Amino acid sequence: MIKRKAAVSIRECAACGCCMKICPKRAITIHKGIYANVNKDLCVGCGLCAKECPASIITLEVTEQ
Amino acid sequence: MKQKKKWYDFLWIVSLSYLILGFFNILFAWLGLLCFFIPLIIAIAGGNKAYCNKFCGRGQLFSLIGGRFGLSRKKDIPKWLKSAWFRYGFLIFFFVMFFMMLWNTYLVFAGTKDLNTAVTLLWTFRLPWRWAYHGTLFSDGVAQFAFGFYSVMLTSTVLGLFTMVLCKPRSWCVYCPMGTMTQLICKAKHVTSSRKK
């Protein structure tokens, strides 16, 4: 089945935590204060984080499962 | 599923009060040092950006005004604004201006310079701010630091509001010098801790 999951451009991430705050599934954590990490098992691909991200560096990527 | 609000979700009230207090008595500007030391202590001791992620009242204020009240175009920020060279360059620029402010304060403490009761906006515009000065118990330098520090805080708020309106509500977080600095500390800490293993 094709699913969409949030993917973060780690290099550009400022680790501000806006995505973590908005995620309704609490699928995002800030890894050691360096970048946002998406738990792909919890992510439902709603896209709220991508919309919220002030740097617009989160995209929804299609993954096969 | 709406997450329950925690006590720290209301820290925007503190940030707003800080800005307002500076209009009444400039000495309140000293309280702003908390916004400098708390994130640094959290990053150095805890190795995370919990300050940005949870406690930053300014970020909350921007997401409230830009998000909830809709005073933001919610457009993507320009690419250069999120580039590494701009983020680190802005941090260095901020540091240089900060040390110049400290030097100015020192000169007033040393008695070489007279107290200047103005708030400098965007490092250029001198706004007369005499009404918020009611004397100080100690040296004039104490007040000079307050004027200087409040200038830093007001300038960054104005810049943040500007990018909030033009881009996304919390665009300031992308190039916030404190955020860049705490992220660097976390990176450095992570490198050294992973070497130890």
Side-chain angles (χ1 to χ4, degrees), chain A residues 10-18 20-26 30-35 49-57, chain B residues 1 3-4 6 9 47-49 52-54 60 63 75-77 79 82 87 168 170-171 173-174 179 182-183 186-187 190 197:
Chain A
I10 288 168
R11 203 177 47 83
E12 293 173 294
C13 182
C16 66
C18 295
M20 179 175 82
K21 236 176 194 170
I22 199 94
C23 179
K25 289 289 178 188
R26 298 195 188 178
I30 302 298
H31 180 75
K32 293 184 167 148
I34 306 173
Y35 59 84
C49 54
K51 227 173 152 183
E52 188 78 1
C53 176
S56 310
I57 52 153
Chain B
M1 186 174 81
Q3 284 174 21
K4 224 182 133 218
K6 304 246 172 51
D9 288 316
N48 61 57
K49 290 219 337 170
C52 295
N53 304 161
K54 291 179 179 158
Q60 291 171 13
S63 66
K75 300 271 185 208
D76 292 348
I77 58 165
K79 241 190 155 85
K82 58 183 167 191
R87 288 184 62 210
K168 291 203 183 176
R170 282 182 68 158
S171 308
C173 302
V174 179
T182 48
Q183 191 185 25
C186 291
K187 276 183 183 168
H190 179 59
K197 274 172 201 164

Side-chain angles (χ1 to χ4, degrees), chain B residues 111-171:
Chain B
T112 340
K113 240 177 129 175
D114 287 332
L115 173 69
N116 182 5
T117 57
V119 164
T120 317
L121 194 63
L122 298 165
W123 308 282
T124 324
F125 309 107
R126 281 179 182 263
L127 313 175
W129 213 267
R130 206 171 160 93
W131 72 82
Y133 178 62
H134 312 286
T136 159
L137 285 175
F138 314 102
S139 161
D140 269 357
V142 174
Q144 190 62 67
F145 178 79
F147 278 111
F149 202 80
Y150 193 74
S151 304
V152 172
M153 297 299 266
L154 199 65
T155 297
S156 48
T157 308
V158 166
L159 275 179
L161 284 172
F162 184 67
T163 49
M164 173 199 82
V165 172
L166 286 182
C167 310
K168 291 203 183 176
R170 282 182 68 158
S171 308

Side-chain angles (χ1 to χ4, degrees), chain B residues 1-195:
Chain B
M1 186 174 81
K2 201 158 185 183
Q3 284 174 21
K4 224 182 133 218
K5 281 224 189 313
K6 304 246 172 51
W7 65 269
Y8 52 74
D9 288 316
F10 298 95
L11 287 173
W12 59 270
I13 299 171
V14 178
S15 276
L16 187 64
S17 314
Y18 176 80
L19 289 171
I20 294 169
L21 284 173
F23 278 83
F24 293 96
N25 192 328
I26 198 67
L27 293 179
F28 280 116
W30 276 83
L31 290 173
L33 279 176
L34 291 172
C35 309
F36 259 62
F37 286 116
I38 296 172
L40 287 178
I41 290 167
I42 292 177
I44 293 167
N48 61 57
K49 290 219 337 170
Y51 187 84
C52 295
N53 304 161
K54 291 179 179 158
F55 310 121
C56 180
R58 168 169 313 183
Q60 291 171 13
L61 196 62
F62 290 148
S63 66
L64 189 74
I65 304 171
R68 182 87 61 85
F69 300 155
L71 248 114
S72 168
R73 298 197 309 157
K74 297 193 177 121
K75 300 271 185 208
D76 292 348
I77 58 165
K79 241 190 155 85
W80 59 267
L81 209 63
K82 58 183 167 191
S83 64
W85 70 263
F86 180 77
R87 288 184 62 210
Y88 295 132
F90 191 64
L91 173 66
I92 293 165
F93 173 72
F94 224 82
F95 251 110
V96 170
M97 298 318 266
F98 194 77
F99 280 108
M100 275 170 69
M101 183 276 280
L102 287 182
W103 176 246
N104 237 340
T105 305
Y106 163 74
L107 290 180
V108 175
F109 261 117
T112 340
K113 240 177 129 175
D114 287 332
L115 173 69
N116 182 5
T117 57
V119 164
T120 317
L121 194 63
L122 298 165
W123 308 282
T124 324
F125 309 107
R126 281 179 182 263
L127 313 175
W129 213 267
R130 206 171 160 93
W131 72 82
Y133 178 62
H134 312 286
T136 159
L137 285 175
F138 314 102
S139 161
D140 269 357
V142 174
Q144 190 62 67
F145 178 79
F147 278 111
F149 202 80
Y150 193 74
S151 304
V152 172
M153 297 299 266
L154 199 65
T155 297
S156 48
T157 308
V158 166
L159 275 179
L161 284 172
F162 184 67
T163 49
M164 173 199 82
V165 172
L166 286 182
C167 310
K168 291 203 183 176
R170 282 182 68 158
S171 308
W172 166 254
C173 302
V174 179
Y175 61 97
C176 168
M178 284 315 291
T180 311
M181 191 154 52
T182 48
Q183 191 185 25
L184 273 178
I185 293 170
C186 291
K187 276 183 183 168
K189 236 187 120 106
H190 179 59
V191 169
T192 49
S193 68
S194 56
R195 260 194 210 139

